[in-house]
Amino acid sequence: MRSEGPLLRVYRTLLNRFGHRGWWPGETRFEVMVGAILTQNTNWKNVEKAIAGLKQKGLLTPESLASADLRTIESAIRSSGYYRQKAKRLKLFAKWLVEKYDGRLDLLFAAPLSELRQELLSLNGIGPETADSILLYAGDKPVFVIDAYTRRVFGRMGFISENASYCELQRFFESSLPSDVELFKDFHAQIVELGKTYCKKKPLCADCPLRRGCKSGGALPKSDS
DNA sequence: GTCCAGGGCCTAC
DNA sequence: GTAGGCCATGGA
């Protein structure tokens, strides 16, 4: 039997509890990318409505979104919150995709990973989490996505400092785990599921699968590392 | 009525 | 370089 690192043990525990999550929801890669922008600081339920709104208006292709009227996009995505800035971001992103890559995602994701990430980060409205969500879930690139739940869950468990930088956290995960796209996808999905169910700002630790070994859960003494 | 959600940008210090 | 304000809807 092969010994596993602590992070993989956490993953197995979550997998046992929640099963494979089958993330990211989305019928096409472009829809996944759009969802990554729409979900910024927003409940996914509201994003689903916004995506349905875009779909209903025929705006879920790079070309149609790039040429759409800003007001039309705004009205389609209103439910996702911050709808004015998100409409601008979506249109800008789609225009960039059309102008630079002819709207072709195969060309986009053929670019070298580090260059592609830098390029995404240079776009207005795409920060590290959004860029990495796009790379991992739409592009099948081995980058680990750090979000508020990741920070909260592993901070409370004592793995990391909750105020470590995005870059530091990402290095921690990527250097502690095998570089496996499917693992990265499902692990992040498991973390979000745990976060939504148990590890909110006000934690609901009673039935949390990670409560043993978590500072908030308190069943085990915290390890000083 | 209050809190929170699968962030990111901009400004002031 | 970093803390704080701002963007906004909808469900619990």
Side-chain angles (χ1 to χ4, degrees), chain A residues 123-180:
Chain A
L123 298 175
N124 182 278
I126 299 194
E129 183 185 335
T130 307
D132 289 339
S133 296
I134 287 172
L135 290 169
L136 178 64
Y137 290 104
D140 290 317
K141 304 292 182 187
V143 294
F144 201 88
V145 178
I146 305 297
D147 66 355
Y149 287 133
T150 312
R151 195 177 288 278
R152 192 181 300 156
V153 169
F154 290 90
R156 285 179 184 171
M157 294 186 73
F159 278 89
I160 55 172
S161 156
E162 282 194 61
N163 48 29
S165 72
Y166 187 98
C167 202
E168 288 172 322
L169 292 180
Q170 189 174 49
R171 258 204 307 276
F172 168 68
F173 280 90
E174 291 185 357
S175 65
S176 308
L177 292 169
S179 184
D180 176 338

